[in-house]
Amino acid sequence: TSFIKLKETENHIKYIYQPQWGFSLLLLNLEEYYSEQHRANHILHKGSHHERKIRDTLKICSKSAIFEPDAISQPIIKIPLRDCIKTGKHRENGANRHFARAKSVNISLIFSQVYFIKEHNVVATYKIERGKMEYVFELDVPEKVEDVVETLLQLHRASCLDKLGDQTAMITAILQSRLARTSFDKNRFQNISEKLHMECKAEMVTPLVTNAGHVCITDTILYFQPLNGYPKSVVQITLQDVRCIYKRRHDLMPLGLEVFCTEDDLCSNIYLKFYEPQDRDDLYFYIATYLEHHVAEHAAESYMLQWQRGHLSNYQYLLHLNHLADRSCNDLSQYPVFPWIIHDYSSSELDLSNPGNFRDLSKPVGALNKERLERLLTYQEMPEPKFMYGSHYSSPGYVLFYLVRMAPEYMLCLQNGRFDNADRMFNSIAETWKNSLDGATDFKELIPEFYGDDVSFLVNSLKLDLGKRQGGQMVDDVELPPWASSPEKDALESNYVSEHLHEWIDLIFGYKQKGSGAVGAHNVFHPLTYEGGVDLNSIQDPDEKVAMLTQILEFGQTPKQLFVTPHPRRITPKFKSLSQTSSYNASMADSPVSPGEESFEDLTEESKTLAWNNITKLQLHEHYKIHKEAVTGITVSRNGSSVFTTSQDSTLKMFSKELKMLQSSISFSNMALSSCFLLPGDATVITSSWDNNVYFYSIAFGRRQDTLMGHDDAVGKICWHDNRLYSASWDSTVKVWSGVPAEMPGTKRHHFDLLAELEHDVSVETISLNPASTLLVSGTKEGTVNIWDLTTATLMHQIPCHSGIVCDTAFSPDSHHVLSTGADGCLNVIDVQTGMLISSMTSDEPQRCLVWDGNSILSESQSGELLVWNLLGAKISERTQGHTCAVTCIWMNEQCSSIITGGEDRQIISGNCGI
């Protein structure tokens, strides 16, 4: 088998593990290049009565000569160049220089060791024959003999150098010379109208091997032309098919680029390694600019938000994190890593509701066994560098340990033509788990294939001879646990894993990966396994550099660190079918009540869902100019008939929607009013002012009822819940008050008690409460968002996430996230549990105010537009022009079906969500 082309369309080719006949690059040694090929006859018993010829193809590689017979019954012959005693021309007996031109000139190789591979096209351990031998080859094109012999002699000299570093340097120089003498064949363009953008040298990367050639990109297609024409003359990908691209760290250097034509595939369409970082970056920039929706620009936090809200499965999320952390199926030293999930591999049934059946995801594999952990902790007595584990949780050897039945040629390539000892093979899942749990040097995790739909890697479908175990049984299919009828992928998506997966992510991709977090979690590996652990460019000795690189690649590498703060947990109460488009959607089977017993709350939620599903159909239909300056606040009576607004013109106005006329105008001071709120019962309106006060206005009696002089500077925003007033001020405080305003004019108002004072470093511009009023979020003049626990009046998180004033904030309905918008044009989503900034979208102008349902956002811009954002898609779905200048405030009813906006154009505009 080989990692080869599975299907070819007009636009791209796809590579996955599939059987392959005859020659493949996996017959080469690691870091070896396949240079060129020539049709030839292999002459057996030259000059004797038994002389015969076998048709084959002579393949010149950087460290070997390989002969592939046309007949599949014949073995492929591989002669290591370092084992060659003599390489040169072979002439018939009696030939002399005078008659050399007339005589047949062949190629002679005299050597001491030869490999016979894939006889009858059967993948098996290589057969080795030792002793002095001579092979003679007759090229179809005799004129090429001279050049082929010269190439073989040159590569033979490189292979015989004493130091590996010198060998690598000489072979690299030979390869670069060949690349410099060639270029991409423009006749390969699919259309004569294509415009060339750039061309450079590169290598196509597949597991364990690379193939040198030329990359060319036009305005429509990305091409790669292998120098040797293998596996085909040109690989091409149409740019419009590209969905995401990733920069890769290859051989510990920033030289890789991987291109996907689908977002959720395990395997990419092409992986390229460049010789210069600038070439890689230029090509990346060109493709990224071309893409309309460049998925690779999504940060890990954006995928986190989708996962938290149930729009990505655990499997999909882990796959995205692996891609973002430089893990690729084309790089076995950085193969995607997945966790062991199950602890019980002996029961006949697997109860996924029993936490005892699951592995502790908060600990690395090496720390799961307490007794083994105690022995490993003696690493603290080691000299520097100190590390706990002498092997890694992912390495090429571990990957091929799992995949040997599906990809046997990879193990043969990695282990110089041999399979592993039969008793050390992947024979049983339970046995492998026990070794990982108890073994002194075994700490390996799993690979994605354990959780995919294709389980062929567990079956010896190729009938490979993998050896005989000590007990006498042949190595065949992998022994499954008794409960194997319950797929392990179901366990990955179980509630237990969903609730604890963030703990494992902290270990592999997060803040417990390195530093003090890793020490505390017993998660310390050799320093060279971490990104930045060694600077290869600083190593001058080529031999030392090659040895260092080989050691690191074979040992395994820790993923790129994606998170530096604790990863939030998944929002499990919202779990529905992962195919649903909204976290609020639910089938009747999911409902806790029968169709005839729907509660008022159920109907309200259904109304909200319907309204937000139609938010892109937002229609604005009524405009009223009622103030002399910018509108600053809007509140509406419960029946929707009366609209109250505040303005910088220092007035509170009441407008009748039914009569479409202004009913009253009230002035409390000569300074601007900044916000308003209608108390339950629709009897009292609270307004805040720049004169440092909060005013209470009685609607029934048409007069000011109370005045709260609570701040030393302007009050910018107020909120009210359950007889508590929350006021934000430019004096750098948010104050929490308890009290009930008088309901009858002329009576003494109730005393307002100051319950808490939330101190800030600078002026507070805006505040919002979560639905239960247990949390408060505040936004400051200098761009900081603060999340407060109101039950203890303590600061939970302080997040500097805007470069200017925070204009507005809001909690998601489930209180798991906070959305903020600022003068910098950014819309930021923050996880309440951890304080992590998990998503950021940018518009070309400030968004002054907003409402959202946790998935979609309606924001109002400086230019007067209303923008609908698809948060999970990180894009604007709809634009509606409303005001002629900045929108400053917005009100939405409880059913989320009606909105009213106010702006600097002194207008209020009402509309509905198209339902």
Side-chain angles (χ1 to χ4, degrees):
T1 62
S2 185
F3 201 80
I4 64 155
K5 180 176 63 178
L6 170 66
K7 63 179 181 180
E8 182 177 344
T9 68
E10 181 181 350
N11 300 314
H12 60 268
I13 56 176
K14 188 74 175 174
Y15 291 85
I16 69 169
Y17 293 106
Q18 283 290 310
Q20 178 175 326
W21 305 119
F23 171 82
S24 82
L25 297 179
L26 293 169
L27 301 185
L28 279 58
N29 295 347
L30 296 178
E31 302 298 318
E32 184 177 5
Y33 294 102
Y34 167 32
S35 177
E36 59 192 71
Q37 69 173 11
H38 304 276
R39 293 293 291 164
N41 290 318
H42 178 192
I43 306 176
L44 299 178
H45 312 294
K46 179 68 175 174
S48 73
H49 294 294
H50 302 289
E51 178 178 315
R52 64 188 180 97
K53 298 180 179 180
I54 297 177
R55 289 292 292 167
D56 65 11
T57 303
L58 168 61
K59 301 177 187 295
I60 309 298
C61 307
S62 58
K63 296 183 180 181
S64 61
I66 295 177
F67 307 95
E68 181 185 17
D70 288 355
I72 63 171
S73 61
Q74 297 292 324
I76 295 173
I77 299 170
K78 177 180 178 180
I79 302 174
L81 294 179
R82 68 173 181 275
D83 294 327
C84 285
I85 300 169
K86 185 178 180 181
T87 301
K89 302 174 186 177
H90 179 93
R91 293 186 176 88
E92 294 181 1
N93 291 336
N96 56 48
R97 292 185 180 182
H98 181 70
F99 296 102
R101 290 177 180 264
K103 296 294 183 180
S104 173
V105 181
N106 302 320
I107 298 173
S108 168
L109 293 177
I110 300 175
F111 50 89
S112 59
Q113 180 171 267
V114 62
Y115 293 90
F116 298 100
I117 306 168
K118 295 175 75 170
E119 188 171 5
H120 298 289
N121 207 46
V122 174
V123 178
T125 302
Y126 297 175
K127 295 180 180 178
I128 305 175
E129 185 174 327
R130 296 182 174 90
K132 187 175 181 180
M133 292 165 276
E134 180 181 15
Y135 279 4
V136 178
F137 296 89
E138 177 185 70
L139 297 188
D140 282 7
V141 183
E143 291 79 7
K144 292 187 176 181
V145 169
E146 194 83 33
D147 291 338
V148 171
V149 170
E150 183 58 36
T151 300
L152 287 170
L153 287 171
Q154 191 178 31
L155 292 171
H156 177 256
R157 287 195 296 272
S159 297
C160 292
L161 293 173
D162 292 335
K163 294 185 177 180
L164 186 59
D166 293 338
Q167 291 181 28
T168 301
M170 185 172 177
I171 290 172
T172 300
I174 294 170
L175 174 66
Q176 291 298 320
S177 175
R178 289 202 64 209
L179 285 170
R181 296 195 305 269
T182 56
S183 62
F184 183 85
D185 181 4
K186 308 303 188 297
N187 292 322
R188 296 290 183 177
F189 283 178
Q190 289 296 297
N191 194 305
I192 58 173
S193 63
E194 286 182 61
K195 296 179 180 178
L196 174 66
H197 179 70
M198 70 172 287
E199 178 185 350
C200 62
K201 300 176 291 184
E203 297 174 13
M204 187 169 73
V205 179
T206 53
L208 300 181
V209 293
T210 61
N211 206 2
H214 296 274
V215 169
C216 180
I217 189 167
T218 68
D219 54 343
T220 57
I221 298 177
L222 170 66
Y223 296 94
F224 175 76
Q225 185 173 36
L227 191 62
N228 50 37
Y230 181 89
K232 57 181 297 185
S233 56
V234 171
V235 175
Q236 63 186 58
I237 294 175
T238 303
L239 294 184
Q240 68 180 13
D241 291 335
V242 176
R243 291 295 172 266
C244 42
I245 54 176
Y246 295 95
K247 292 181 179 179
R248 293 290 185 223
R249 177 179 46 138
H250 190 272
D251 288 351
L252 306 185
M253 291 177 286
L255 298 172
L257 183 72
E258 194 161 18
V259 180
F260 290 79
C261 290
T262 55
E263 291 186 40
D264 298 325
D265 264 5
L266 186 63
C267 305
S268 65
N269 293 73
I270 194 169
Y271 186 138
L272 296 171
K273 171 195 171 185
F274 296 81
Y275 297 109
E276 298 295 336
Q278 190 62 51
D279 288 339
R280 190 277 303 267
D281 293 344
D282 288 346
L283 190 68
Y284 176 92
F285 177 78
Y286 184 77
I287 298 177
T289 304
Y290 180 91
L291 297 182
E292 181 180 358
H293 303 297
H294 179 32
V295 179
E297 289 297 332
H298 280 331
E301 289 80 8
S302 296
Y303 289 119
M304 179 203 300
L305 181 64
Q306 296 182 54
W307 171 74
Q308 273 194 292
R309 305 199 68 80
H311 292 261
L312 287 178
S313 66
N314 292 337
Y315 176 87
Q316 290 171 318
Y317 184 46
L318 288 176
L319 200 58
H320 283 305
L321 293 184
N322 273 284
H323 285 327
L324 289 166
D326 274 345
R327 314 297 287 188
S328 167
C329 289
N330 284 305
D331 186 350
L332 296 186
S333 69
Q334 299 187 90
Y335 202 81
V337 55
F338 272 57
W340 283 101
I341 293 296
I342 303 301
H343 185 275
D344 177 6
Y345 289 95
S346 59
S347 299
S348 58
E349 294 184 2
L350 184 63
D351 182 4
L352 296 181
S353 65
N354 180 5
N357 288 333
F358 292 89
R359 165 257 183 106
D360 186 347
L361 289 166
S362 68
K363 298 177 181 178
V365 168
L368 293 174
N369 183 324
K370 186 176 180 181
E371 293 180 2
R372 179 176 67 176
L373 176 61
E374 290 176 354
R375 294 194 299 269
L376 291 169
L377 286 175
T378 59
Y379 85 97
Q380 295 169 343
E381 302 170 6
M382 293 171 58
E384 295 293 344
K386 298 180 180 181
F387 54 92
M388 280 187 68
Y389 307 115
S391 63
H392 207 256
Y393 50 76
S394 178
S395 68
Y398 288 164
V399 172
L400 296 179
F401 167 83
Y402 292 126
L403 293 179
V404 63
R405 291 165 177 82
M406 178 186 285
E409 287 185 278
Y410 287 87
M411 180 172 280
L412 293 174
C413 176
L414 186 69
Q415 300 194 156
N416 200 27
R418 299 185 302 274
F419 291 122
D420 206 348
N421 179 279
D423 286 295
R424 290 197 299 266
M425 297 284 276
F426 180 31
N427 292 301
S428 157
I429 294 180
E431 185 179 296
T432 301
W433 165 248
K434 186 178 186 303
N435 288 338
S436 296
L437 201 61
D438 302 335
T441 60
D442 190 348
F443 315 107
K444 58 179 172 284
E445 293 277 10
L446 298 182
I447 55 176
E449 283 81 356
F450 277 86
Y451 304 108
D453 295 324
D454 184 3
V455 297
S456 60
F457 75 103
L458 300 171
V459 181
N460 186 17
S461 57
L462 297 175
K463 303 303 178 185
L464 301 166
D465 181 1
L466 299 174
K468 184 181 293 185
R469 305 189 67 182
Q470 286 186 357
Q473 67 271 37
M474 297 296 295
V475 176
D476 198 22
D477 297 345
V478 175
E479 182 183 344
L480 303 179
W483 49 256
S485 59
S486 175
E488 201 151 347
K489 62 182 178 182
D490 291 346
L492 182 63
E493 306 303 333
S494 66
N495 281 342
Y496 178 88
V497 174
S498 294
E499 291 168 0
H500 294 276
L501 187 59
H502 64 284
E503 298 172 332
W504 186 82
I505 292 172
D506 283 336
L507 295 169
I508 307 301
F509 304 103
Y511 82 109
K512 292 182 179 179
Q513 183 200 88
K514 60 178 70 171
S516 58
V519 173
H522 308 310
N523 195 36
V524 183
F525 294 86
H526 194 286
L528 291 180
T529 66
Y530 296 94
E531 184 179 26
V534 61
D535 179 8
L536 287 179
N537 293 324
S538 66
I539 301 176
Q540 300 300 318
D541 185 339
D543 203 44
E544 181 185 349
K545 180 182 292 188
V546 171
M548 179 73 72
L549 181 61
T550 301
Q551 175 186 341
I552 295 169
L553 297 182
E554 291 182 359
F555 186 87
Q557 296 177 63
T558 301
K560 179 191 296 182
Q561 188 175 21
L562 300 178
F563 309 106
V564 294
T565 57
H567 191 289
R569 65 182 297 171
R570 197 167 191 185
I571 305 170
T572 50
K574 289 292 182 186
F575 282 179
K576 302 293 180 188
S577 170
L578 288 167
S579 63
Q580 294 168 343
T581 58
S582 169
S583 60
Y584 292 102
N585 291 342
S587 66
M588 296 305 295
D590 292 322
S591 176
V593 294
S594 67
E597 298 175 336
E598 289 177 327
S599 66
F600 176 77
E601 289 76 12
D602 294 328
L603 294 174
T604 301
E605 283 301 306
E606 186 176 341
S607 172
K608 290 179 181 179
T609 302
L610 185 59
W612 277 104
N613 285 344
N614 286 274
I615 195 69
T616 56
K617 301 175 183 178
L618 178 65
Q619 298 174 354
L620 302 176
H621 46 75
E622 294 180 334
H623 299 238
Y624 304 103
K625 191 173 182 178
I626 59 176
H627 282 282
K628 296 179 181 179
E629 292 188 39
V631 181
T632 57
I634 302 171
T635 188
V636 181
S637 61
R638 188 167 181 81
N639 63 11
S641 62
S642 298
V643 180
F644 299 87
T645 59
T646 53
S647 168
Q648 288 184 6
D649 64 11
S650 75
T651 62
L652 167 69
K653 297 198 175 186
M654 183 171 70
F655 180 84
S656 171
K657 286 193 69 179
E658 294 178 343
L659 301 175
K660 295 181 172 43
M661 62 178 291
L662 189 65
Q663 289 189 309
S664 62
S665 179
I666 308 98
S667 181
F668 300 120
S669 74
N670 58 1
M671 297 189 73
L673 301 181
S674 54
S675 66
C676 58
F677 193 87
L678 188 59
L679 294 186
D682 291 355
T684 304
V685 177
I686 315 175
T687 68
S688 57
S689 174
W690 286 5
D691 67 4
N692 311 351
N693 298 328
V694 177
Y695 296 99
F696 296 80
Y697 174 76
S698 172
I699 299 172
F701 294 93
R703 57 177 290 179
R704 184 175 66 189
Q705 184 174 325
D706 288 321
T707 301
L708 176 63
M709 295 177 286
H711 288 277
D712 298 324
D713 206 336
V715 181
K717 185 77 177 286
I718 53 172
C719 298
W720 177 276
H721 184 269
D722 196 21
N723 292 334
R724 291 192 176 181
L725 172 68
Y726 304 84
S727 57
S729 172
W730 297 358
D731 66 6
S732 305
T733 66
V734 173
K735 293 185 178 181
V736 184
W737 311 85
S738 174
V740 181
E743 296 182 0
M744 295 294 293
T747 62
K748 185 176 180 181
R749 69 176 177 83
H750 284 242
H751 179 70
F752 276 80
D753 293 322
L754 181 62
L755 299 180
E757 186 169 340
L758 312 180
E759 294 283 353
H760 296 68
D761 296 329
V762 293
S763 66
V764 184
E765 300 292 324
T766 183
I767 55 171
S768 298
L769 296 171
N770 73 328
S773 294
T774 55
L775 302 171
L776 178 143
V777 58
S778 59
T780 71
K781 178 181 179 181
E782 294 185 354
T784 300
V785 173
N786 306 277
I787 301 176
W788 300 83
D789 182 349
L790 293 177
T791 61
T792 58
T794 56
L795 179 64
M796 295 170 58
H797 306 291
Q798 187 174 50
I799 308 101
C801 57
H802 291 280
S803 59
I805 292 173
V806 179
C807 298
D808 202 3
T809 58
F811 281 92
S812 59
D814 57 17
S815 298
H816 288 289
H817 298 114
V818 162
L819 176 66
S820 66
T821 183
D824 57 3
C826 291
L827 279 77
N828 295 327
V829 180
I830 298 163
D831 181 77
V832 171
Q833 176 196 1
T834 62
M836 179 185 289
L837 177 63
I838 61 174
S839 181
S840 183
M841 300 179 293
T842 304
S843 62
D844 53 8
E845 59 179 336
Q847 305 294 303
R848 296 281 290 272
C849 48
L850 57 86
V851 288
W852 73 316
D853 72 337
N855 296 319
S856 298
I857 302 167
L858 177 62
S859 70
E860 290 70 40
S861 71
Q862 188 75 21
S863 64
E865 283 188 316
L866 276 68
L867 276 62
V868 178
W869 299 76
N870 179 338
L871 177 60
L872 300 180
K875 63 182 180 179
I876 296 174
S877 302
E878 188 67 32
R879 294 176 180 265
T880 303
Q881 188 65 47
H883 295 262
T884 58
C885 51
V887 187
T888 53
C889 52
I890 185 171
W891 169 88
M892 177 178 274
N893 68 342
E894 185 179 2
Q895 290 75 31
C896 305
S897 57
S898 298
I899 68 163
I900 301 176
T901 62
E904 288 185 352
D905 58 5
R906 299 169 285 177
Q907 294 189 95
I908 61 169
I909 302 177
S910 64
N912 60 50
C913 297
I915 56 174

